[in-house]
Amino acid sequence: MQPDEPPLSPRDEGPPDAPGVGEDVCGACHGTGTVEGQRCSVCNGTGKVLQGIGGG
Ligand SMILES: [Zn+2]
């Protein structure tokens, strides 16, 4: 038995962001995508890097 849910949830399908998976701010350019005027070679100018899961 579950009580009536209040209509306060406009969206309740799927998590917005799964923790521990996805992208992370590039540590080399701090998310700017550029280092000293040059395109960051670590994130390729995207400012984000993919986080490895499970440790590799
Ligand atoms: Zn970068």
Side-chain angles (χ1 to χ4, degrees), residues 26 28-30 33 40 42-44 47:
C26 180
C29 62
H30 302 282
C40 184
V42 178
C43 62
N44 199 23

Side-chain angles (χ1 to χ4, degrees), residues 25-35 39-49:
V25 178
C26 180
C29 62
H30 302 282
T32 60
T34 53
V35 178
R39 186 173 64 180
C40 184
S41 58
V42 178
C43 62
N44 199 23
T46 60
K48 295 180 181 178
V49 290

